[in-house]
Amino acid sequence: MYRVWNFIASYSLFLIGGALLALVWANMDVIAPVSGAPHYWADLYHNFVEFVIIDDFIIGHMHQAHIGPENPMFAALVDAGAEIHDDGHGHEYVLGEAHRTLTLHYLVNDVLMALFFAIAAKEVWEAVILKNGSLRGKKAATPLFATAGGMFGPIAVYLGLAAVMGSETYSAVANGWAIPTATDIAFSYLVGRMVFGAGHPAVRFLLLLAIADDAAGLLILAIFYPSGELAPEWLLLSLGAAVGAYVFFNWLPRRMDKGDQLRKRSTWIRKKLSFWPYAIAGCLSWYGFQESGLHPALGLLPIVPVIPHADRAFGIFADAERHLHDLLNEMEHALKVPVEIILGLFGLLNAGVEFSSMGSATWLVLAGLLIGKPAGILLFGWVAAKPLGLGIPEGMRIIDLVVIGFVAAIGFTVSLFVASVAFDAGPVQDAAKMGALFSFFAAVVAFLAGKVTKVEKQQL
């Protein structure tokens, strides 16, 4: 495994730095107020986030102008033959032609973050499909059960408490139910090693749980949080790009090289074309996702499984992964630095929340993470280990599941992302993001839980 500090330097410093800078910037009106402009710094931050790079472009946020019948121009536009739609509440609107606007926020969250999710998908794919994958066989059964508990528990707590707060609150925050289901694989791994020690079997258990959580999170984003009206026929473009890339640049060359020890065709494609066929296929797949209404940040997922890969994997964060030279691993290595920068930009553009925005969604997200996660992981993990007889790794105790639950309650990156797609920009989204940021306190709770339950650290 990578040393902890190397891991932090590789993936976390830019993200933390971007998030802290955003928090300071968004709250500068309290620190250094500008006379006559009470929201000067906050407005400056939001204008930066929504900076328009290109208006009326082929990618970006969809916009459609409209005016209501109360507008003096309404009758004139109707007489001129303008298109009229009903908004579903009995109000008619004249709609202009829809167009897309590429903003800085869209570029980072919807375009560049696709590379981050592609790397996450690569690790999930390896864990599921390869013979020595960590999510195959009986060894993964109990962690998978615990993962289910770590998702159902937060959902139950989040929606249950929201219902207790009243129907108005429930209606406002219900769509954020998936925010506390997330586990930030990077920070949970880091904290898990600190709490249990690098050699404790609970760290491996936590890693399996986090990978499975990532897989479930990708499905949740695709199914429950579309970016617009669904047009599933566009997914044929994504499917065609994936199938075409696999057949013509992976399967067919290997088929033609059958019996040829030199593998001339496969070698020529690898040396001359390199990653370009898959990069082009990725662009087509991403565009298909955008037009289909699914979140475009998931647009590279269909391409990951078709890229040539070694028949083994050493596991996420394994140092030996650097010595694999198949195309998929080399592409991941090449993306390391760009993804570090992208995560920093993601933190900068999404974590800028004013502390005054804390509200019901903040506490619901925190309750889902700090109560629902540990409770769900403990309950489902115990059911799998004891009544179902699947057991837990040697050297682990059932009570360790509670500590694992608190470690897994660090939502941060993925929770921030889900909050940004679950709610429109505004007070509820800001409050939910604050809950995702405060989930860092789960690390403190995890250390305390480790002391109370007398966790014995085990080093490698």
Side-chain angles (χ1 to χ4, degrees):
M1 293 287 184
Y2 288 134
R3 291 195 299 267
V4 173
W5 175 249
N6 284 346
F7 173 71
I8 299 174
S10 294
Y11 287 98
S12 304
L13 286 181
F14 278 103
L15 178 59
I16 294 173
L20 288 176
L21 178 58
L23 273 175
V24 171
W25 187 350
N27 289 279
M28 279 292 289
D29 289 309
V30 177
I31 303 170
V34 175
S35 179
H39 301 289
Y40 175 80
W41 293 107
D43 289 343
L44 191 64
Y45 171 79
H46 292 298
N47 288 337
F48 168 73
V49 170
E50 296 299 334
F51 175 78
V52 175
I53 300 173
I54 305 176
D55 197 10
D56 198 7
F57 195 45
I58 58 172
I59 65 173
H61 292 292
M62 181 69 77
H63 293 284
Q64 199 162 33
H66 63 269
I67 61 173
E70 70 282 354
N71 191 298
M73 293 294 294
F74 184 86
L77 288 169
V78 171
D79 291 339
E83 187 178 1
I84 301 175
H85 288 266
D86 192 292
D87 69 350
H89 300 285
H91 303 295
E92 291 183 323
Y93 291 89
V94 176
L95 302 180
E97 186 176 352
H99 68 282
R100 293 187 178 276
T101 299
L102 179 62
T103 63
L104 183 59
H105 184 268
Y106 190 93
L107 177 64
V108 172
N109 276 44
D110 296 64
V111 182
L112 298 180
M113 280 295 284
L115 298 175
F116 168 78
F117 284 111
I119 289 177
K122 181 253 186 188
E123 300 296 346
V124 171
W125 175 251
E126 289 179 338
V128 171
I129 203 68
L130 297 182
K131 290 181 180 180
N132 63 333
S134 56
L135 293 182
R136 293 186 60 148
K138 187 178 178 180
K139 64 184 176 181
T142 301
L144 288 175
F145 267 86
T147 300
M151 303 193 80
F152 290 127
I155 293 171
V157 170
Y158 183 93
L159 293 179
L161 290 178
V164 170
M165 290 180 177
S167 58
E168 186 175 341
T169 299
Y170 184 89
S171 299
V173 303
N175 201 47
W177 58 268
I179 300 172
T181 65
T183 294
D184 189 301
I185 190 170
F187 290 109
S188 64
Y189 171 71
L190 168 64
V191 174
R193 284 178 60 117
M194 290 180 172
V195 172
F196 290 102
H200 200 291
V203 174
R204 183 68 175 173
F205 189 101
L206 173 65
L207 202 50
L208 295 179
L209 184 150
I211 292 171
D213 192 279
D214 264 8
L218 294 174
L219 287 174
I220 286 173
L221 279 171
I223 296 171
F224 296 101
Y225 294 104
S227 62
E229 292 186 14
L230 292 179
E233 63 274 11
W234 276 98
L235 291 178
L236 292 174
L237 176 60
S238 299
L239 178 62
V243 171
Y246 175 75
V247 170
F248 293 109
F249 302 101
N250 188 344
W251 176 82
L252 186 59
R254 288 189 290 110
R255 178 81 174 180
M256 296 173 68
D257 281 338
K258 193 173 182 179
D260 181 5
Q261 292 184 342
L262 296 178
R263 300 172 59 186
K264 296 176 183 176
R265 297 168 184 83
S266 300
T267 302
W268 185 88
I269 286 178
R270 175 69 185 275
K271 288 184 175 180
K272 299 297 182 180
L273 301 183
S274 185
F275 65 90
W276 284 109
Y278 302 99
I280 294 170
C283 293
L284 292 173
S285 179
W286 183 94
Y287 188 77
F289 267 64
Q290 176 191 250
E291 297 301 305
S292 74
L294 295 182
H295 203 287
L298 306 178
L300 300 184
L301 267 57
I303 307 302
V304 172
V306 308
I307 301 174
H309 190 288
D311 59 0
R312 68 193 186 281
F314 296 102
I316 191 169
F317 309 139
D319 190 38
E321 289 278 323
R322 293 181 296 175
H323 303 293
L324 292 177
H325 296 292
D326 56 275
L327 185 58
L328 183 56
N329 273 294
E330 288 194 346
M331 289 174 71
E332 181 187 32
H333 303 156
L335 287 172
K336 176 181 172 291
V337 173
V339 168
E340 290 173 18
I341 297 170
I342 289 166
L343 286 175
L345 290 172
F346 174 80
L348 177 61
L349 297 181
N350 289 273
V353 183
E354 296 177 62
F355 288 112
S356 60
S357 67
M358 287 188 292
S360 299
T362 305
W363 314 121
L364 289 171
V365 170
L366 281 176
L369 287 167
L370 292 174
I371 299 173
K373 273 277 186 190
I377 288 173
L378 174 62
L379 176 60
F380 279 61
W382 174 81
V383 168
K386 296 301 182 182
L388 295 181
L390 297 173
I392 56 175
E394 184 179 352
M396 256 188 72
R397 307 167 298 163
I398 291 295
I399 196 64
D400 289 336
L401 292 172
V402 176
V403 186
I404 288 174
F406 284 120
V407 176
I410 304 173
F412 195 49
T413 312
V414 183
S415 288
L416 270 177
F417 190 89
V418 177
S420 71
V421 300
F423 301 115
D424 293 331
V428 178
Q429 186 191 85
D430 288 347
K433 285 183 175 181
M434 191 62 75
L437 293 171
F438 282 169
S439 69
F440 266 125
F441 287 109
V444 177
V445 180
F447 278 107
L448 294 175
K451 295 293 184 183
V452 171
T453 60
K454 299 181 179 178
V455 167
E456 295 184 4
K457 287 189 176 183
Q458 299 179 24
Q459 302 301 332
L460 289 173

